[in-house]
Amino acid sequence: MPKISEREQWGSKLGFILAAAGSAIGLGSIWRFPYITGQYGGAAFVLVYTLLVFSIGISLMMAEIVIGRRGKLNAVGSFKALGGGAWSIVGWLGVIAAFIILSYYGVIGGWTIAYFIKSFTGLTSHSSSGQIAKTFEIFVSNAGSVIFYQVLFMAATIFVVYNGVGGGIERLCKICMPALFILMLILILRSVTLPGASKGLSFFLKPDFTKITGEVLLAALGQAFFSLSLGIGAMIIYGSYLPEDSNIPSSSAQICFLTLLISIMAGLIIFPSLFAFNMEPAAGAGLTFITLPVVFAKMPAGFLWSALFFVLFFFAALTSSVSLLEVVASYFIDNFGWKRSRATLVLGIIITIAGIPSALSQGAVPINLFGKSFLDAADFFASNLLMPLGGFFISLFLGWKIHNIAKEEINNLSENSFPLTKTWLFILQYIAPICIAIIFISGLRS
Ligand code: PHE
C-alpha cells in the first residue's frame, strides 16, 4: 500500500475541480438527465432533482472528499483506515456498482463515437424527425456495430487509465469543457427559437406537483447520485489526491453547480425541439440521440455542428468512464498489489464483456430483466439502489463514526473556516439517511 507521503497530488486547485467536474459531467447530464426527465413527467422531476443536488448531493460530495483526503486511499482502504474492517464493505459495494455502471456506460459512450461518424454520412441531411428516429433504431438493432463502438469506447477508457494519463485528460478537459459549454449555448438558442418550442419549455420548467410520486422521487434520487458520481467512492479517490490546503466546501459547491448547469442546458436544448417536432418525451434511452440530430438538421452546415457536438460529448463521457474504471482498478491496485497495467487491462476487458448484454438489449436482441431492457435494469439497480445505498452508509459513517475527524478536516483552512459545519453534519446524521430510507421505501412500493 502506498504511504501517505508518496501519494501524488493534483497539480493545482483548478486541476482537482476540473477532474472531479469531468467525472461528474458526462452521459449523466447529457444523455440520462433528459431521458429520465422525459419519462418521469418533466418539470416536477427537475425540481426534486435540483433540491436533492443542493441538499443531500452536495453534503455527500463533501463527505466523500473528506473521507478520501483523510484516508489517502481508495474507498475500501479509506473506510478501513478510518473506521475499521466492517466499514470497508461500503467501499466494496461501490466497486460492484462502478463495475455495473461502466458495463453499460461503455455502450452509450460507443453511441457517441458512432454518431460522430454518422455526422459525416448523412445523419443531419434527413428532413424528418421520423427518419432520424429510424436511423437510431436501425443503428441499435445492429449487434455488430453497437458492440464494435462499445469496444472502441472501452479501449479508449482503458488506454487512459492504463497509461495513467489523467494529466493529459485534465488538460484536454480545460479545452473541451468550455467548448462544450459554448456549443450548448448556441444549441439552446437554436432550439428555443424553433416554432412551437414553448410547449417544451413549459414541460421542462413549469412543475405540475401532482406528478410527484414515490417513483419520481426515487428516480430523482438516482439521477442525483449518478450525475454527481456519488455513493460509490469515486469522489473518495479524487479526494485522496487532494492537497491539505484545499477548500472542500467551495470545490464541492462548484462541482454540483456545474453539473446541474450542464444538465439544465441539455434539457433546454432537447425539450423545446422535441415538442416543436411533435416527438415523444418518454422515448427512453435514445432520446438525446434522436432529438439532437433534428436540431442540427435545422442549422446551416448541420453536419459540422453535429460532429463537433458528438466529439465533445465523447470526451465528456470519457472523463467520467475513466473515473469509473479507476474505482474498480484502484481497489485491485491498492489492496492486492496488482500493477496498474494488469488491473486496467484485465478488469477493463471483463467489464466490456459484461456490457455486451446491455449493448444488445437496445434493439438487436430482446434481453429483458424485471420488465425492463437489460441496460435499463442494470442502470436502475446501480443508480437507484446501489448508489443511494452507498450514500446512506457514507452519510452515517461520516455523521456518526468520524464526525470529529470530519469537523477538523472541513475546517482545515482556519478554525471555524466552514460556517455551515453544524448544518452539514446534521444533514449527514439525520436528513440524508432518513430521506434516502423514505424515498427507497416509497419508490420501491409504487
Ligand atoms: N457522473 C457520471 C456521469 O454523469 C457517471 C459516474 C458515476 C462517474 C459514478 C463516476 C462515478 O456521466
Side-chain angles (χ1 to χ4, degrees), residues 23-29 105 226-229 232 234 320 323-324 387:
S23 162
I25 297 169
L27 297 177
S29 300
Y105 207 93
F226 189 97
S227 63
L228 297 173
S229 307
I232 67 170
S320 304
S323 72
L324 284 162
M387 291 180 125

Side-chain angles (χ1 to χ4, degrees), residues 383-429:
S383 316
N384 294 4
L385 301 180
L386 288 182
M387 291 180 125
L389 196 65
F392 178 83
F393 287 117
I394 291 171
S395 55
L396 290 181
F397 180 71
L398 196 129
W400 297 102
K401 177 90 187 163
I402 61 157
H403 55 281
N404 287 329
I405 295 181
K407 262 187 230 160
E408 219 175 276
E409 275 290 315
I410 210 83
N411 289 300
N412 62 321
L413 297 176
S414 66
E415 212 176 309
N416 303 326
S417 63
F418 180 50
L420 298 175
T421 306
K422 282 208 178 103
T423 317
W424 175 57
L425 286 177
F426 183 76
I427 293 179
L428 292 173
Q429 283 167 338

Side-chain angles (χ1 to χ4, degrees), residues 163-175:
N163 289 302
V165 290
I169 280 278
E170 218 175 288
R171 255 170 276 136
L172 199 65
C173 274
K174 274 189 200 158
I175 306 167

Side-chain angles (χ1 to χ4, degrees), residues 258-433:
L258 284 174
T259 307
L260 181 72
L261 182 70
I262 296 288
S263 303
I264 300 288
M265 286 172 71
L268 287 176
I269 300 170
I270 294 203
F271 290 103
S273 44
L274 193 76
F275 280 76
F277 294 104
N278 290 320
M279 290 154 74
E280 190 38 58
L287 189 68
T288 297
F289 294 84
I290 295 170
T291 315
L292 283 178
V294 183
V295 181
F296 300 135
K298 293 280 170 218
M299 297 168 80
F303 77 98
L304 274 183
W305 293 107
S306 174
L308 186 61
F309 175 82
F310 283 111
V311 103
L312 295 173
F313 191 16
F314 162 76
F315 282 118
L318 187 65
T319 51
S320 304
S321 63
V322 163
S323 72
L324 284 162
L325 184 54
E326 190 69 38
V327 169
V328 184
S330 71
Y331 173 68
F332 284 78
I333 296 170
D334 283 353
N335 289 272
F336 298 128
W338 281 26
K339 280 215 183 75
R340 170 164 288 269
S341 50
R342 173 171 169 205
T344 43
L345 211 57
V346 171
L347 297 163
I349 291 173
I350 296 175
I351 293 171
T352 308
I353 294 170
I356 290 178
S358 291
L360 296 176
S361 72
Q362 294 303 293
V365 185
I367 310 176
N368 292 320
L369 257 184
F370 309 113
K372 295 177 189 300
S373 77
F374 192 87
L375 190 152
D376 285 338
D379 180 42
F380 185 90
F381 181 63
S383 316
N384 294 4
L385 301 180
L386 288 182
M387 291 180 125
L389 196 65
F392 178 83
F393 287 117
I394 291 171
S395 55
L396 290 181
F397 180 71
L398 196 129
W400 297 102
K401 177 90 187 163
I402 61 157
H403 55 281
N404 287 329
I405 295 181
K407 262 187 230 160
E408 219 175 276
E409 275 290 315
I410 210 83
N411 289 300
N412 62 321
L413 297 176
S414 66
E415 212 176 309
N416 303 326
S417 63
F418 180 50
L420 298 175
T421 306
K422 282 208 178 103
T423 317
W424 175 57
L425 286 177
F426 183 76
I427 293 179
L428 292 173
Q429 283 167 338
Y430 299 101
I431 310 272

Side-chain angles (χ1 to χ4, degrees), residues 106-359:
V107 174
I108 315 295
W111 292 3
T112 65
I113 306 178
Y115 266 65
F116 167 70
I117 293 170
K118 281 182 195 298
S119 303
F120 298 100
T121 57
L123 175 69
T124 56
S125 59
H126 292 297
S127 50
S128 79
S129 51
Q131 271 171 312
I132 288 176
K134 192 93 202 141
T135 309
F136 176 76
E137 251 172 61
I138 294 172
F139 165 60
V140 289
S141 311
N142 184 333
S145 70
V146 280
I147 293 175
F148 172 76
Y149 288 111
Q150 178 211 358
V151 169
L152 219 55
F153 183 86
M154 288 302 295
T157 305
I158 294 169
F159 177 83
V160 173
V161 182
Y162 183 102
N163 289 302
V165 290
I169 280 278
E170 218 175 288
R171 255 170 276 136
L172 199 65
C173 274
K174 274 189 200 158
I175 306 167
C176 283
M177 303 250 262
L180 184 65
F181 179 81
I182 293 168
L183 179 58
M184 287 176 77
L185 277 183
I186 297 172
L187 295 178
I188 292 176
L189 282 181
R190 172 66 282 202
S191 182
V192 297
T193 52
L194 288 167
S198 59
K199 265 187 289 172
L201 280 176
S202 61
F203 175 85
F204 185 58
L205 297 174
K206 244 206 203 139
D208 169 359
F209 293 100
T210 59
K211 288 202 173 138
I212 301 180
T213 60
E215 223 186 331
V216 169
L217 292 177
L218 183 60
L221 186 71
Q223 178 60 24
F225 275 88
F226 189 97
S227 63
L228 297 173
S229 307
L230 295 177
I232 67 170
M235 290 296 163
I236 295 185
I237 297 185
Y238 280 21
S240 73
Y241 297 108
L242 198 60
E244 299 303 329
D245 63 351
S246 48
N247 185 336
I248 294 179
S250 108
S251 309
S252 305
Q254 290 177 52
I255 299 162
C256 289
F257 175 75
L258 284 174
T259 307
L260 181 72
L261 182 70
I262 296 288
S263 303
I264 300 288
M265 286 172 71
L268 287 176
I269 300 170
I270 294 203
F271 290 103
S273 44
L274 193 76
F275 280 76
F277 294 104
N278 290 320
M279 290 154 74
E280 190 38 58
L287 189 68
T288 297
F289 294 84
I290 295 170
T291 315
L292 283 178
V294 183
V295 181
F296 300 135
K298 293 280 170 218
M299 297 168 80
F303 77 98
L304 274 183
W305 293 107
S306 174
L308 186 61
F309 175 82
F310 283 111
V311 103
L312 295 173
F313 191 16
F314 162 76
F315 282 118
L318 187 65
T319 51
S320 304
S321 63
V322 163
S323 72
L324 284 162
L325 184 54
E326 190 69 38
V327 169
V328 184
S330 71
Y331 173 68
F332 284 78
I333 296 170
D334 283 353
N335 289 272
F336 298 128
W338 281 26
K339 280 215 183 75
R340 170 164 288 269
S341 50
R342 173 171 169 205
T344 43
L345 211 57
V346 171
L347 297 163
I349 291 173
I350 296 175
I351 293 171
T352 308
I353 294 170
I356 290 178
S358 291

